[in-house]
Amino acid sequence: MEALKLNGEEQMQRAFGYAARDSSGVLSPFSFTRRANGDHDITVKILYCGICHSDLHIIKNEHGISSYPIVPGHEIVGVVTQAGGKVNKFKVGDKVGVGCLIGSCGECDNCNGGLENYCPKPVYTYTIFESEGDTKRYGGYSDILVIDEHFAVRIPDAISLAGCAPLLCAGITVYSPIRHFGLDRPGKRIGVVGLGGLGHLAVKFGKAFGAEVTVISTSESKRQEAIEELKADSFILSHDMKQMQAAIGTMDGIIDTVSATHPLKPLLDLLRTDGKLIMLSAPDLETPAQVPLFPLFGRKSLVGSMCGGIKETQEMMDFAEHGITSNVEVVAMDYVNEAMDRLARGDVRYRFVIDIANTLTNL
């Protein structure tokens, strides 16, 4: 993209994307600028960007904290078009991915341990909260991105670019707890609650690690998808008490991807001793969860997890090269508002991905 100049020096790069201006959440064409490519930066021509459910929450201000205008998007796949003089990880022409974070403090124990996602001062890929300061950041529903090389990962040559875009958020969000809590080995029994964007990837990663995977859903219609398409080992209809009782005490861990309020005791009952119910979503930021204590006395744990650090994200992407990608519906940029409406209705199997390179037209 063309760079703007001040006193003969490049200062910013022109960029173009789609932004929401208010809580209607309607996205429309938006021109803005990115910073100049610094010594440690890469400029990325964006090829694909996944649509995450959190994008929908933020553009509609469902948490009451959104800062407009918002260019969403944090499941970004592209190609390097510029590399700063001190860049070591990438060169021009490399395929890269960018997920939820583009910065952190770099000094805390979490950052030093490769857990930038748990840094107390995270820098998200696009500005989400009003309290994040004066510097606006715009996400991947756009043509270019400038980022410190540390926060990008290499995309393997053999992987589908559209299919791997959702791995940069949904994929790493399920991969990280499976690895961290030791569910990544043959013989482990994993439950997956909810068969959406996160849930279908939890099934795929669990099976790839050799675990026995059970999908737990409120919808009988998901049974065929789970067993025949995603190759889950079994399926439990969560409101069928006989099916639930038959599975009591059988699971080493449960990946709960459901954002709606739902009872936790029946899930805790399914865990073995030392089992973990791992929460990846929440209804909202304010409503406290109703947690029954008695099931926890069976030496069971209720824990939370989020996206992984950069090292772990690269590890996941390299592992995914062996055939793990998201099931996606690729859409044009001008279809994004309809895609958001469909996402709100749950009408996607399992993730929308925007074809940025071929359909984003600077009007």
Side-chain angles (χ1 to χ4, degrees):
M1 297 299 292
E2 181 183 358
L4 305 180
K5 293 187 177 183
L6 180 64
N7 297 326
E9 296 183 1
E10 292 187 355
Q11 298 294 317
M12 295 179 289
Q13 302 183 73
R14 286 194 175 97
F16 180 72
Y18 269 51
R21 273 77 166 189
D22 55 45
S23 60
S24 70
V26 174
L27 294 151
S28 58
F30 179 65
S31 295
F32 59 102
T33 57
R34 302 283 193 189
R35 70 174 185 265
N37 196 94
D39 285 344
H40 296 278
D41 290 337
I42 55 174
T43 296
V44 179
K45 176 185 177 182
I46 298 175
L47 303 178
Y48 295 96
C49 187
I51 297 178
C52 179
H53 209 286
S54 61
D55 296 339
L56 179 62
H57 290 315
I58 297 302
I59 63 174
K60 289 185 173 293
N61 198 24
E62 292 179 358
H63 300 314
I65 54 175
S66 299
S67 175
Y68 298 98
I70 298 168
V71 176
H74 56 230
E75 298 178 345
I76 301 165
V77 172
V79 60
V80 177
T81 58
Q82 295 183 59
K86 297 182 180 180
V87 168
N88 296 311
K89 285 174 63 176
F90 305 106
K91 64 183 184 302
V92 171
D94 284 350
K95 291 177 288 187
V96 298
V98 178
C100 303
L101 293 175
I102 59 169
S104 63
C105 79
E107 299 175 349
C108 68
D109 289 344
N110 283 327
C111 287
N112 290 330
L115 297 172
E116 300 91 343
N117 50 314
Y118 296 116
C119 174
K121 299 179 181 178
V123 181
Y124 298 111
T125 304
Y126 63 92
T127 300
I128 298 174
F129 309 130
E130 292 178 345
S131 60
E132 287 185 75
D134 297 330
T135 302
K136 282 290 283 189
R137 299 179 307 282
Y138 298 112
Y141 295 15
S142 57
D143 54 358
I144 65 167
L145 180 70
V146 184
I147 182 176
D148 185 295
E149 64 166 334
H150 176 77
F151 290 91
V153 298
R154 181 186 62 86
I155 301 295
D157 289 334
I159 201 166
S160 160
L161 296 184
C164 81
L167 299 185
L168 292 154
C169 176
I172 186 59
T173 298
V174 298
Y175 177 93
S176 181
I178 290 174
R179 289 278 285 140
H180 178 73
F181 293 111
L183 302 174
D184 56 337
R185 62 196 71 170
K188 290 295 183 179
R189 294 184 175 182
I190 302 175
V192 176
V193 184
L195 198 60
L198 275 72
H200 89 288
L201 287 171
V203 174
K204 289 189 176 188
F205 278 115
K207 291 296 296 179
F209 282 125
E212 182 180 321
V213 180
T214 298
V215 171
I216 304 164
S217 175
T218 61
S219 176
E220 177 64 30
S221 65
K222 299 288 183 71
R223 183 182 296 272
Q224 182 176 353
E225 297 176 41
I227 302 296
E228 297 184 13
E229 298 179 26
L230 297 174
K231 309 304 180 184
D233 296 283
S234 57
F235 180 93
I236 295 175
L237 191 63
S238 60
H239 55 75
D240 186 315
M241 298 312 298
K242 288 185 178 180
Q243 293 182 35
M244 292 290 286
Q245 288 174 1
I248 286 175
T250 63
M251 299 183 187
D252 297 290
I254 297 176
I255 305 293
D256 191 334
T257 71
V258 175
S259 59
T261 300
H262 57 287
L264 299 183
K265 183 181 182 302
L267 300 176
L268 290 167
D269 288 342
L270 300 184
L271 294 173
R272 291 172 166 172
T273 302
D274 294 325
K276 293 173 176 61
L277 174 56
I278 305 163
M279 308 300 295
L280 303 184
S281 299
D284 56 55
L285 298 179
E286 302 296 334
T287 303
Q290 298 297 315
V291 180
L293 294 180
F294 187 75
L296 300 180
F297 297 155
R299 212 165 72 182
K300 302 174 183 181
S301 302
L302 176 65
V303 300
S305 184
M306 59 182 296
C307 64
I310 304 305
K311 180 180 179 181
E312 191 174 43
T313 302
Q314 184 65 70
E315 175 189 290
M316 174 214 62
M317 194 62 72
D318 293 339
F319 183 79
E321 186 177 14
H322 302 293
I324 300 177
T325 54
S326 176
N327 294 21
V328 301
E329 180 178 336
V330 179
V331 299
M333 188 73 249
D334 62 6
Y335 186 80
V336 67
N337 289 305
E338 187 168 348
M340 287 292 185
D341 290 341
R342 287 178 55 193
L343 177 60
R345 301 194 303 269
D347 180 23
V348 58
R349 293 289 183 273
Y350 289 96
R351 206 76 161 185
F352 287 116
V353 172
I354 307 169
D355 183 349
I356 299 289
N358 293 312
T359 68
L360 176 61
T361 303
N362 190 335
L363 304 177

